[in-house]
Amino acid sequence: MTVSDIDYLKKILLAPVYDVAVNSDLVLLSRLTAELGNEVFLKREDQQPVKSFKLRGAYNRIANLTEAQLNAGVVAASAGNHAQGVAYSANMKGVKATIVMPETTPDIKIEAVRRFGGQHVNIVLHGTNFDTASQHARTLSAEHGYTLIPPFDDPDVIAGQGTVARELLEQNPNIDTLFIAVGGGGLAAGIAVYLKQLKPDIKLIAVESEESACFAAAKAAGEPVSLPTVGIFADGVAVKLMGSETFRLCNQYIDEVMTVTNDEICAAIKDIFDDTRVIAEPAGAMSIAAIRKYVNEHNISGQKLGGILCGANTNFHTLRYVSERCELGEQKEAVFAVKIPERQGAFKQFCEYLGGRTITEFNYRYASETEAHIFVGIKLRGGRKEFEALSADLTSKGYECFDLSDNELAKLHVRHMVGGRPPTILNEVVFSFEFPEYPGALLNFLNTLGERWNITLFHYRNHGAAEGLVLAGFDIPPESREAFDEHVAALNYEYQDVTANPAYRFFLSEPEKA
């Protein structure tokens, strides 16, 4: 049964979330406000006991169960903030809870759930991804009579998340535009159905990672549709299929939807840290990433803009990636490739042409008797316009330049591998792979690939996430390509042929035939 808008309003106003949650602060980001020329406010949901807004919805759902349901216990599937919210809520209510988590879940998240849940929580590790864990949770619900506590697509969960809007409207009723991160849509739906009834002139903008834009896909299709894959960096919003009820509400009340890149998210994590000294998780920084992007694209000023730091449960090792990418996201750095003549003094001359700019990275590689290839990172004071001017200047001096600032393969892998060309002519084909990360996963990946095809290139990168990333090249004669494709398809890894990627062609492949 669909809940009416007025009933949602009542459910939000009466939600007993403050048994466990706090009325989180709404703070002015003074540094970012000065930079962007708009007042930027941030709702600090990292202040919740579980460092995320998810506690509100989980507790509200459990608090609305009947006595019989409470006695039977609850079950939930999650590898992240929802699991911690359910565990904390169950412990506070004295309810038995079973939390199903993928076997690939990092230990830090498992320990957090165990700590918050205490003696009332039983953790079950099942499968290597969320979909498998979720199916197992439904199976346990059917077998044992547990009540399933969904992460977003439930009226009580939506109403619990909507209490964020109730506080925000009391703290600053004059916000012009509010930016809300969207994964499954529970937070955006709860906020939207509340705010649009009480302050219909407020503009609401949904923010999605460009690697998991399930709301944008649903809007285009007119109904929720499953994405074939989702990115792993902003794991808090890595949802393939948004809920039917969350879509109904978001589609009705959200004014606009926009996406942000991983680099823009990294820049926003730094923005939040610079103003608050808090480290947001990637999904938690998305609203600030969108605010910076929206202001730059629409050239607005003098407005009151709001965002929500919806979570701060990040893996510490992720910060290595964030630090590496944040200045690209702020457009304070550019990375590019250049061909220079292979002659005495050419390298020094090129450096002189950079005009005293701060060089953040410089990889040089002899390519042939006539040319060399370099990978360059530079700091920018004037954003993309400065780089465009530099690129035009270098081109006028006869250099061939390739902007790689938006090339994910270049930034993730190739920048660390510049200079590896095969010494002989090979039938080299290159793939990017994703596979579940756990102790021994890399060896298992290699064993699964087998030894039939010779590996010609290999680079492995893991930032402490649930997925390992590999760039691998193989010597595949044309007559065995079909057999190779069949073999790789049967491995059930996410993979992509990237042989045509310009970053690979420029630095790592054999020279183009004349």
Side-chain angles (χ1 to χ4, degrees):
M1 183 182 69
T2 300
V3 177
S4 69
D5 293 354
I6 190 66
D7 283 338
Y8 266 118
L9 197 62
K10 293 176 182 177
K11 288 173 75 68
I12 292 169
L13 289 170
L14 297 174
V17 298
Y18 302 104
D19 292 349
V20 293
V22 301
N23 188 325
S24 61
D25 294 338
L26 180 69
V27 300
L28 177 71
L29 301 185
S30 56
R31 186 199 61 82
L32 194 60
T33 289
E35 180 182 346
L36 297 183
N38 294 270
E39 291 184 71
V40 180
F41 296 90
L42 185 65
K43 183 70 169 156
R44 292 281 307 277
E45 282 300 282
D46 62 289
Q47 295 175 340
Q48 299 302 339
V50 300
K51 309 300 181 186
S52 162
F53 76 95
K54 287 285 189 177
L55 176 63
R56 297 173 182 264
Y59 186 82
N60 194 49
R61 178 72 182 104
I62 291 174
N64 278 281
L65 297 180
T66 66
E67 195 68 29
Q69 288 173 320
L70 292 172
N71 291 334
V74 300
V75 64
S78 171
N81 294 336
H82 180 59
Q84 296 179 47
V86 172
Y88 191 95
S89 301
N91 195 23
M92 293 297 291
K93 294 288 287 184
V95 176
K96 177 184 175 184
T98 299
I99 310 291
V100 184
M101 311 179 80
E103 295 169 3
T104 56
T105 304
D107 289 344
I108 187 173
K109 294 185 177 181
I110 296 173
E111 289 305 314
V113 171
R114 184 172 288 120
R115 182 174 70 254
F116 287 130
Q119 63 181 357
H120 293 98
V121 168
N122 175 40
I123 297 172
V124 176
L125 301 180
H126 184 87
T128 59
N129 56 60
F130 172 74
D131 290 338
T132 305
S134 181
Q135 181 56 52
H136 188 62
R138 288 192 290 270
T139 299
L140 292 176
S141 174
E143 289 180 353
H144 301 285
Y146 302 151
T147 297
L148 187 67
I149 308 298
F152 46 81
D153 200 26
D154 176 271
D156 288 327
V157 173
I158 292 169
Q161 321 301 28
T163 58
V164 171
R166 169 175 145 193
E167 296 168 15
L168 191 146
L169 200 57
E170 294 170 351
Q171 292 163 326
N172 190 336
N174 299 314
I175 286 178
D176 298 301
T177 306
L178 182 66
F179 296 77
I180 315 163
V182 172
L187 178 64
I191 288 175
V193 73
Y194 186 87
L195 288 182
K196 282 296 189 177
Q197 290 187 80
L198 298 182
K199 184 179 169 62
D201 59 330
I202 190 172
K203 187 172 186 178
L204 301 179
I205 298 181
V207 185
E208 296 189 284
S209 164
E210 67 173 13
E211 296 184 340
S212 55
C214 61
F215 180 36
K219 283 184 73 68
E223 62 181 1
V225 291
S226 183
L227 301 176
T229 60
V230 294
I232 60 175
F233 176 57
D235 58 349
V237 293
V239 176
K240 288 185 177 182
L241 179 69
M242 80 179 302
S244 57
E245 178 67 351
T246 56
F247 172 69
R248 182 184 73 82
L249 294 170
C250 288
N251 194 45
Q252 180 178 352
Y253 288 121
I254 296 293
D255 297 294
E256 190 176 332
V257 59
M258 61 185 293
T259 61
V260 291
T261 67
N262 286 354
D263 287 354
E264 289 164 344
I265 293 171
C266 289
I269 292 173
K270 182 176 180 294
D271 282 332
I272 292 171
F273 177 80
D274 286 345
D275 259 310
T276 67
R277 294 300 183 263
V278 170
I279 299 174
E281 65 183 77
M286 282 171 50
S287 61
I288 295 300
I291 288 174
R292 177 182 283 277
K293 186 173 187 175
Y294 192 84
V295 168
N296 290 335
E297 288 181 350
H298 296 272
N299 196 30
I300 61 174
S301 62
Q303 295 195 21
K304 293 178 172 59
L305 310 176
I308 300 166
L309 199 177
C310 51
N313 288 309
T314 193
N315 189 317
F316 183 80
H317 298 293
T318 302
L319 299 181
R320 177 175 54 189
Y321 177 92
V322 172
S323 176
E324 189 177 277
R325 303 289 283 270
C326 63
E327 293 204 326
L328 285 165
E330 290 179 304
Q331 297 188 356
K332 293 180 179 178
E333 182 186 19
V335 293
F336 59 103
V338 184
K339 291 181 180 180
I340 67 173
E342 182 52 50
R343 58 172 171 76
Q344 189 173 0
F347 183 39
K348 179 175 179 291
Q349 185 180 55
F350 173 79
C351 292
E352 290 172 347
Y353 285 150
L354 292 180
R357 291 178 175 83
T358 300
I359 298 172
T360 59
E361 188 166 356
F362 215 115
N363 294 297
Y364 172 95
R365 179 63 171 171
Y366 173 93
S368 71
E369 293 182 355
T370 59
E371 70 180 29
H373 295 169
I374 55 178
F375 185 104
V376 187
I378 59 169
K379 278 190 175 294
L380 301 174
R381 295 184 180 90
R384 292 296 298 173
K385 290 183 178 179
E386 179 187 350
F387 174 71
E388 289 165 3
L390 172 64
S391 182
D393 183 49
L394 292 174
T395 300
S396 72
K397 291 179 169 63
Y399 291 103
E400 192 173 354
C401 299
F402 303 86
D403 182 12
L404 300 177
S405 300
D406 293 324
N407 188 308
E408 189 65 20
L409 189 73
K411 294 181 289 187
L412 188 62
H413 292 291
V414 175
R415 71 192 304 173
H416 305 288
M417 304 168 66
V418 171
R421 290 188 181 278
T424 58
I425 301 300
L426 298 171
N427 297 295
E428 188 172 72
V429 184
V430 181
F431 293 85
S432 62
F433 291 89
E434 294 180 13
F435 58 86
E437 183 58 63
Y438 55 90
L442 180 58
L443 180 60
N444 181 67
F445 173 78
L446 293 172
N447 288 335
T448 306
L449 282 179
E451 301 178 358
R452 180 175 172 184
W453 290 276
N454 183 45
I455 294 177
T456 59
L457 174 153
F458 198 90
H459 182 243
Y460 168 64
R461 194 82 189 270
N462 175 33
H463 292 289
E467 301 287 333
L469 305 175
V470 159
L471 184 71
F474 303 86
D475 187 7
I476 307 172
E479 63 270 19
S480 67
R481 178 59 192 267
E482 183 176 349
F484 180 88
D485 288 344
E486 291 175 355
H487 176 72
V488 173
L491 300 181
N492 290 323
Y493 291 129
E494 296 288 343
Y495 70 98
Q496 184 179 2
D497 186 334
V498 295
T499 310
N501 187 285
Y504 162 74
R505 303 300 302 176
F506 189 88
F507 286 111
L508 303 175
S509 71
E510 62 189 65
E512 298 289 342
K513 297 179 178 64

